[in-house]
């Protein structure tokens, strides 16, 4: 009898695991065959490949359809391939896909819960508006002198490095992280750091935590992406308790400083406090947790994502000497036209610099996928002439495979080649809408686009103006391998480059 009960329990459990695996078959929609326990993402669970890389492989297996199904463990989800449908989902029909499917419990991870990326409803609208008003074009432009001053510090550091340690490589992403940390601390928080001279200051220690990559980190990210409820149940966090404590300490310092000096409308951080987190007119009423969340948001978005793009941009420039030569000529001309200096307007007037930037974002975009949650019933057109329209149910995950779209030869010839010329004015007009999503699009487009663009372009201009950048010997003929344990685009191997001072 006990044996029969055991068999019955096993059968019930097995049925529970597999009964949804017929979902796409009943809908007559092509799908990736699932495997028990893993669904369609076994390689991700095992830490062998990144979500974006796996979905790109699936993307190419389903050549003739605008979308197809897969299973995240036992739950059916959908991957949309067609750029026109992508555009509708993230722009035209945004209200049906208003939320990112990447949410945490505020009680369990209060710092990450402050980030607009995972927020929903009225809270998202309010804080999104605050971030948008805090990072207007005029406010970012007002940060130019601070950005340029920190770039000068970096340039002096690199000059000393090339004199004292010629041909010794530096890791491109780490270099950029130090610079962008100092920029954010100075221009946003109103404090001073020099991460090149003091690599263990409080802020750089916080940003270093963003770069930790382990198999366990990958498992945690995987759990939140496929079963957020399980991540919250297990008490998993994106921001460790140690980092949270560090942020809270820095927040106390900033709150005290604001109490003495008051809030400045022109400062992005203060503007956010006034528009999104203000409880009354007194700075003493700001929640330390709110301030800590804002500090995290600026540091994460201003260092992790920007440093990643900058690292890949330096790598690509070093790997393509003809691109570097052409870019340097444009930068030198911009300096010459402005009396040996670089103005904010000069930076945005440089067309080839923007082309190199856009091509870097195509090949090495921080986000490999966009993960949306269906919030209102939505109808997709038939997947084929023989099929019926598909009603996307509320709660279903919809994947936009950005990495796959950016490297599809249908939209970008020789997609693996770094070729900035595809982003000439004529070239951009020929790119199908929805096939290139450097910063996302629609109401959830990246709020830090202006700040990221400014600090990246200014810093790259300073570097290429003063140095020739070359790949370190260990990087030659060593293609980029995407780290499977990090949600954002990250190279498994360090991006080693050498700097060689120019005679100006």
């Amino acid at each position: 009898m006990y044996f029969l009960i055991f068999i019955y329990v096993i059968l019930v459990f097995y049925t529970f695991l597999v009964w949804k695996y017929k979902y796409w078959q009943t809908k007559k929609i092509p799908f990736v065959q699932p495997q028990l326990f893993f669904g369609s993402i076994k390689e991700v669970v095992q830490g062998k490949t990144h979500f974006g890389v796996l979905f790109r492989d699936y993307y190419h297996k389903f050549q003739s359809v605008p979308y197809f199904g897969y299973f995240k463990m036992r739950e059916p989800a959908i991957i949309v391939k067609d750029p026109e449908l992508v555009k509708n989902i993230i722009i035209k029909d945004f209200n049906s896909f208003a939320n990112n499917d990447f949410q945490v419990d505020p009680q369990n991870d209060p710092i990450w819960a402050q980030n607009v990326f995972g927020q929903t409803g009225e809270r998202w609208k309010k804080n999104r508006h605050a971030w948008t008003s805090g990072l207007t074009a005029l406010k970012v432009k007002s940060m130019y002198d601070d950005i340029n001053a920190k770039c000068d510090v970096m340039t002096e550091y690199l000059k000393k490095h090339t004199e004292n340690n010629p041909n010794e490589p530096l890791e491109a992403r780490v270099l950029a992280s130090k610079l962008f940390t100092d920029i954010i601390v100075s221009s946003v928080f109103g404090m001073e750091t020099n991460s090149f001279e003091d690599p263990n200051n409080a802020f750089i220690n916080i940003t270093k935590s963003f770069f930790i990559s382990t198999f366990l980190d990958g498992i945690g990210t995987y759990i939140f992406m496929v079963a957020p409820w399980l991540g919250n149940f297990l008490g998993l966090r994106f921001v460790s308790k140690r980092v949270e404590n560090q942020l809270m300490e820095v927040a106390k310092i900033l709150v005290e400083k604001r109490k003495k000096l008051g809030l400045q409308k022109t400062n992005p951080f203060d503007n956010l406090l006034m528009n999104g987190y203000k409880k009354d007119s007194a700075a003493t009423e700001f929640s330390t947790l709110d301030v800590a969340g804002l500090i995290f948001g600026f540091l994460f978005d201003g260092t992790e994502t920007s440093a990643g793009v900058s690292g890949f941009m330096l790598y690509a420039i070093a790997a393509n000497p003809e691109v570097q030569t052409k870019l340097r000529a444009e930068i030198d001309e911009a300096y010459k036209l402005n009396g040996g200096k670089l103005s904010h307007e000069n930076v945005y007037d440089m067309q080839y610099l923007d082309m190199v930037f856009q091509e870097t974002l195509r090949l090495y975009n921080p986000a490999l996928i966009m993960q949306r949650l269906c919030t209102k019933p939505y109808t997709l057109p038939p997947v084929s002439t023989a099929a019926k329209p598909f009603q996307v149910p509320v709660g279903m995950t919809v994947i936009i495979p950005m990495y796959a779209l950016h490297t599809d030869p249908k939209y970008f010839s020789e997609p693996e080649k770094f070729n900035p010329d595809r982003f000439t004015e004529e070239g951009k007009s020929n790119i199908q809408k929805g096939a290139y999503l450097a910063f996302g699009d629609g109401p959830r487009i990246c709020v830090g686009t202006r700040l990221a663009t400014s600090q990246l372009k200014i810093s790259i201009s300073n570097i290429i103006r003063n140095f020739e950048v070359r790949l370190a010997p260990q990087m030659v003929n060593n293609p980029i391998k995407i780290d499977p344990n990090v949600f954002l685009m990250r190279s498994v191997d360090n991006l080693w480059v050498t700097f060689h001072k120019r005679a100006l």
Side-chain angles (χ1 to χ4, degrees):
M1 182 177 176
Y2 288 115
F3 177 73
L4 291 175
I5 292 174
F6 174 75
I7 294 298
Y8 176 76
V9 170
I10 293 296
L11 288 174
V12 169
F13 181 60
Y14 177 80
T15 302
F16 169 77
L17 290 176
V18 304
W19 72 275
K20 290 188 177 181
Y21 285 174
K22 296 292 185 182
Y23 181 87
W24 293 116
Q25 187 174 340
T26 61
K27 301 293 182 181
K28 295 182 169 41
I29 291 175
F31 65 98
V32 182
Q33 289 291 340
Q35 299 182 58
L36 189 62
F37 298 114
F38 301 108
S40 308
I41 50 179
K42 182 178 179 180
E43 293 87 346
V44 173
V45 181
Q46 294 174 329
K48 292 181 177 180
T49 190
H50 192 285
F51 270 103
V53 176
L54 181 65
F55 291 159
R56 182 190 62 173
D57 294 341
Y58 291 157
Y59 175 101
H60 289 296
K61 287 181 180 179
F62 294 88
Q63 288 286 347
S64 60
V65 295
Y67 56 88
F68 59 93
Y70 80 103
F71 291 89
K72 48 179 205 174
M73 296 181 75
R74 60 188 294 272
E75 294 296 324
I78 196 165
I79 296 175
V80 176
K81 293 180 54 182
D82 180 68
E84 188 65 30
L85 295 181
V86 168
K87 190 174 62 172
N88 290 344
I89 287 169
I90 62 178
I91 304 175
K92 180 183 174 184
D93 302 316
F94 171 79
N95 287 335
S96 291
F97 302 93
N99 297 340
N100 288 323
D101 187 21
F102 205 78
Q103 301 166 28
V104 299
D105 182 357
Q107 299 300 316
N108 181 54
D109 198 347
I111 298 293
W112 180 258
Q114 299 290 320
N115 196 298
V116 291
F117 181 81
Q119 292 175 351
T120 61
E122 290 303 315
R123 188 184 186 202
W124 169 74
K125 289 181 182 178
K126 177 185 176 183
N127 291 339
R128 171 80 193 192
H129 173 74
W131 277 92
T132 302
S133 62
L135 291 171
T136 62
L138 188 61
K139 288 184 176 66
V140 171
K141 183 179 179 180
S142 71
M143 298 164 64
Y144 174 77
D145 288 341
D146 275 335
I147 296 174
N148 218 27
K150 294 304 179 185
C151 286
D152 287 343
V153 173
M154 175 194 64
T155 300
E156 289 305 310
Y157 166 80
L158 288 174
K159 286 179 179 179
K160 290 180 182 178
H161 178 82
T162 57
E163 290 171 2
N164 299 329
N165 306 285
N167 299 315
E168 182 179 312
L170 293 172
E171 211 288 326
R173 190 190 67 196
V174 172
L175 177 76
S177 178
K178 291 177 180 179
L179 171 64
F180 297 149
T181 297
D182 288 353
I183 288 173
I184 296 299
V185 172
S186 173
S187 60
V188 177
F189 302 153
M191 302 172 73
E192 283 302 317
T193 55
N194 185 337
S195 298
F196 297 100
E197 298 295 331
D198 179 17
N200 292 311
N201 68 68
F203 292 100
I204 206 70
N205 281 336
I206 292 171
T207 58
K208 278 180 182 177
S209 69
F210 305 153
F211 293 88
I212 297 172
S213 170
T214 67
F215 176 70
L216 289 179
D217 293 323
I219 289 295
T221 301
Y222 152 76
I223 289 174
F224 271 114
M225 291 186 67
V226 301
W229 63 269
L230 180 58
N232 292 321
F233 176 77
L234 294 174
L236 300 179
R237 302 166 59 111
F238 283 105
V239 182
S240 71
K241 190 65 179 177
R242 178 182 61 82
V243 173
E244 180 184 315
N245 291 336
Q246 290 177 317
L247 287 165
M248 294 294 279
E249 288 302 315
V250 173
K252 290 175 185 176
I253 296 172
L254 281 181
V255 168
E256 287 302 313
K257 189 169 184 177
R258 264 50 180 187
K259 284 165 63 176
K260 293 178 181 178
L261 302 177
L263 299 176
Q264 307 298 318
K265 288 184 179 180
T266 55
N267 179 277
F269 188 83
D270 292 1
N271 199 275
L272 269 162
L273 288 175
M274 287 186 279
N275 286 286
Y277 298 90
K278 192 170 184 179
K279 293 177 172 55
D280 61 28
S281 59
T284 55
E285 296 300 316
F286 292 124
S287 159
T288 305
L289 177 61
D290 286 341
V291 176
L294 284 178
I295 295 170
F296 172 80
F298 272 106
L299 288 176
F300 184 81
D301 295 334
T303 61
E304 164 72 347
T305 54
S306 295
V309 175
S310 181
F312 283 119
M313 194 167 174
L314 281 173
Y315 164 83
I317 290 170
N320 296 274
E322 71 286 354
V323 170
Q324 185 168 177
T325 299
K326 189 173 180 180
L327 178 59
R328 181 174 291 111
E330 181 182 62
I331 292 170
D332 285 348
E333 182 64 19
Y335 273 88
K336 181 180 177 181
L337 290 174
N338 201 47
K341 297 181 180 179
L342 194 66
S343 70
H344 187 266
E345 288 73 20
N346 289 146
V347 173
Y348 279 85
D349 286 342
M350 287 190 278
Q351 294 182 356
Y352 194 67
L353 174 62
D354 186 67
M355 290 159 60
V356 175
F357 178 54
Q358 296 293 339
E359 178 69 346
T360 302
L361 289 171
R362 182 189 71 82
L363 265 180
Y364 308 113
N365 196 276
L368 282 79
I369 64 171
M370 193 184 300
Q371 189 163 302
R372 291 291 171 83
L373 195 68
C374 184
T375 51
K376 290 183 180 180
Y378 187 77
T379 303
L380 286 172
V383 75
S384 67
T385 54
K388 297 179 180 179
F390 174 60
Q391 304 292 328
V392 183
V394 171
M396 176 170 280
T397 299
V398 176
I399 298 292
I400 311 297
M402 295 161 64
Y403 184 56
L405 287 164
H406 286 189
T407 55
D408 188 341
K410 182 178 179 181
Y411 309 116
F412 301 97
S413 61
E414 298 183 278
E416 302 300 328
K417 181 181 179 181
F418 188 84
N419 178 19
D421 289 339
R422 67 177 92 243
F423 285 97
T424 61
E425 287 303 315
E426 181 182 357
K428 285 190 289 188
S429 66
N430 292 327
I431 298 174
Q432 186 169 343
K433 300 295 183 184
Y436 179 63
L437 301 163
F439 290 100
D441 210 336
R444 278 195 179 265
I445 192 172
C446 175
V447 292
T449 297
R450 290 192 184 95
L451 176 57
T453 301
S454 289
Q455 63 179 7
L456 272 158
K457 287 186 174 181
I458 294 168
S459 62
I460 292 294
S461 296
N462 272 268
I463 290 173
I464 301 304
R465 165 71 169 170
N466 289 282
F467 304 93
E468 180 185 350
V469 186
R470 302 173 192 165
L471 288 183
Q474 62 266 44
M475 296 300 299
V476 177
N477 297 321
N478 184 18
I480 297 294
K481 304 180 192 70
I482 298 175
D483 191 334
N485 297 317
V486 185
F487 177 67
L488 299 176
M489 166 79 89
R490 181 87 60 79
S491 171
V492 171
D493 301 315
N494 288 325
L495 301 175
W496 296 110
V497 295
T498 59
F499 297 86
H500 306 269
K501 189 178 175 182
R502 290 181 68 206
L504 298 177

